[in-house]
Amino acid sequence: MTEAGGDWAGRAWERWLLPPPARRLPWLSCLAVAVFQSVGTNFAAHDQTGRASIDAFARVLLLVGPAFLLVRHRYPRVTVFGTSAAALAYFTAGYPYGPIFISVAIACFTAIVSGHRWAAWSAVGALWAGHVLVAHWLYRWLPPGGDHAAPWGQELGVAAWVLAIVAASELGRTRRQQLLRQRAEQAAAQRRRADEERLRIARELHDVLAHSISVINVQAGVGLALLDRDPEQARTALTTIKAASKEALGEVRQVLDTLRAPGAAPRAPAPGLDRLPELTEQASAAGLTVEVAVEGARAPLPPGADLAAFRIVQEALTNVVRHSGSRTARVLLHYAPRELEITVDDDGPAAAEGGETGGGRGLVGMCERAAALGGTVEAGPRPDGGFRVLARIPMAGRTQAGSESAGPAQERPAAEPAQERPEKESP
């Protein structure tokens, strides 16, 4: 795997350890093995005058192993036993020693790497035991005539070759497990990033549309009520609707641009607390008086924390506009050395207009925004009446500057649960 975390099979040799695409047979590699075994055996036979000559049956046996290798990924156990049987038949017939063992080595490697260790060990062990039996006891009755027992030193060399093949196969199996685990982790990380981005976009759209449409809804009601009585006031309401809808369209367009061009820099800066006066003006246009107070020395926030703070205030004011009988809200920004504490209060009481009920995602979105940065959100009725949203956002959020993670479940336990106030939450 590459250092940068890119392709999971960065080095070419590692591709041999991973399963190939479905319905793909390794024709080229098997053809190369067949040619190598046939040509190599012809060269090796020149110096082995005491062995049987290579005939048609020998050439068939030299091709049987590569033929089994065609299905080594689908049927590794059949392949390792088939190639071992072909090699044992070749040695039993007294043909010259040569590279016929290449097929056995590849089949053994594939079987062990794919997890069929006992099959590979059994097949290779049976091949070695059969070779010992033929070379030291059965040679008297097998071709070629006048053959002698093989030296035991040769058997030690064969045993060392078998152990080397098995050891290399075990190393390959371990490396393959690591590669598969890395690939699974990468796939899980990609799915997690996609989920986080989808949740982030959903939160942005919810916050933008809920706030703007709330303002439009209130102003549309004012315009309809005053259309005949006070046309000038109705005109003001329509102007507010036009401005709010234009701003909402701009922000929605910016969010959608990130879908069309992932990774591209946004055309406009993300909103932050510097736009809080603009937010209070919009709330005032909807008939809500917002009092803003600041405690402590103002400190710059990372872009992700700045955006989260703005959206939390925006969502809290939207809930007041839509679902509270109070026409006054108080926003307190308390700058502590390590965190920003945001308090949004209204005096209530709750008013479900037109039988409207909540059950939306506003409070959940606020909790997710804060939790993604390592903060918390508490929302619920105050003991003295009214409703309070209290958010704490660390001054140095957990996410990188300019980005906002959307998966609090992967970072920390869930945020403080919001108390039930369904009629206070925007849909």
Side-chain angles (χ1 to χ4, degrees):
M1 187 173 179
T2 57
E3 293 292 335
D7 186 8
W8 46 265
R11 290 187 288 268
W13 68 269
E14 290 180 341
R15 296 191 183 96
W16 289 80
L17 301 177
L18 295 165
R23 300 182 181 179
R24 180 179 174 182
L25 296 178
W27 291 99
L28 292 179
S29 61
C30 294
L31 180 61
V33 172
V35 171
F36 180 78
Q37 287 190 169
S38 298
V39 175
T41 301
N42 286 333
F43 280 104
H46 292 307
D47 298 328
Q48 301 181 49
T49 55
R51 307 296 294 175
S53 59
I54 299 177
D55 54 15
F57 182 63
R59 298 191 183 280
V60 170
L61 291 177
L62 289 172
L63 296 176
V64 168
F68 272 110
L69 292 181
L70 282 172
V71 295
R72 65 181 184 270
H73 295 296
R74 298 182 183 179
Y75 309 104
R77 287 178 293 186
V78 173
T79 299
V80 71
F81 278 108
T83 54
S84 298
L88 182 59
Y90 179 89
F91 292 130
T92 302
Y95 295 121
Y97 291 98
I100 189 172
F101 60 84
I102 295 296
S103 295
V104 180
I106 295 176
C108 176
F109 183 85
T110 303
I112 290 180
V113 166
S114 60
H116 303 285
R117 304 165 69 188
W118 289 108
W121 293 349
S122 300
V124 175
L127 174 60
W128 179 77
H131 179 268
V132 170
L133 186 64
V134 170
H136 294 277
W137 287 283
L138 299 181
Y139 66 90
R140 301 180 182 87
W141 301 281
L142 296 174
D147 195 10
H148 301 284
W152 284 102
Q154 174 181 306
E155 297 306 323
L156 294 177
V158 174
W161 170 80
V162 171
L163 291 176
I165 292 297
V166 172
S169 302
E170 290 293 340
L171 289 176
R173 183 183 67 86
T174 301
R175 182 55 183 159
R176 186 197 197 195
Q177 291 178 343
Q178 294 175 352
L179 291 174
L180 291 175
R181 184 166 56 251
Q182 290 170 356
R183 184 171 70 171
E185 291 173 354
Q186 281 193 350
Q190 290 176 352
R191 289 194 299 269
R192 185 169 60 251
R193 285 193 296 269
D195 291 341
E196 290 172 353
E197 182 66 10
R198 185 166 58 249
L199 287 174
R200 185 191 69 81
I201 292 173
R203 281 201 304 267
E204 287 294 309
L205 290 175
H206 172 275
D207 292 346
V208 171
L209 294 177
H211 176 74
S212 300
I213 292 178
S214 296
V215 174
I216 292 172
N217 180 55
V218 171
Q219 291 300 316
V222 172
L224 287 174
L226 300 177
L227 185 60
D228 296 326
R229 247 183 6 227
D230 191 347
E232 191 59 33
Q233 187 66 26
R235 181 186 299 274
T236 303
L238 292 176
T239 303
T240 303
I241 290 174
K242 179 180 179 181
S245 60
K246 181 180 179 181
E247 180 184 357
L249 287 174
E251 293 198 40
V252 169
R253 186 179 296 112
Q254 181 178 346
V255 173
L256 296 180
D257 283 344
T258 63
L259 295 178
R260 298 190 182 96
R267 299 180 181 178
L273 291 179
D274 57 334
R275 289 182 54 183
L276 194 55
E278 179 182 335
L279 188 61
T280 59
E281 289 179 7
Q282 294 175 355
S284 298
L288 179 67
T289 301
V290 181
E291 301 173 359
V292 180
V294 178
E295 292 181 353
R298 284 184 177 270
L301 294 172
D306 203 16
L307 173 63
F310 177 82
R311 293 303 189 197
I312 288 172
V313 175
Q314 183 184 52
E315 176 62 28
L317 294 180
T318 300
N319 282 343
V320 177
V321 170
R322 290 180 60 84
H323 303 299
S324 175
S326 174
R327 293 298 87 191
T328 302
R330 293 178 297 280
V331 178
L332 174 62
L333 304 178
H334 176 72
Y335 287 87
R338 295 186 178 181
E339 69 178 12
L340 170 65
E341 185 177 279
I342 304 171
T343 306
V344 181
D345 284 315
D346 71 270
D347 295 329
E353 300 176 0
E356 201 176 348
T357 59
R361 298 287 300 175
L363 294 178
V364 175
M366 287 192 287
C367 292
E368 289 176 348
R369 284 187 183 277
L373 298 165
T376 59
V377 170
E378 302 174 22
R382 298 197 320 251
D384 57 345
F387 199 80
R388 168 172 292 175
V389 174
L390 176 61
R392 296 182 178 89
I393 299 177
M395 299 296 285
R398 228 182 261 158
T399 55
Q400 295 293 331
S403 65
E404 182 184 1
S405 173
Q410 289 83 14
E411 297 289 343
R412 59 178 283 120
E416 295 284 342
Q419 297 185 27
E420 292 286 340
R421 190 190 184 186
E423 70 275 7
K424 291 283 292 183
E425 187 178 355
S426 59

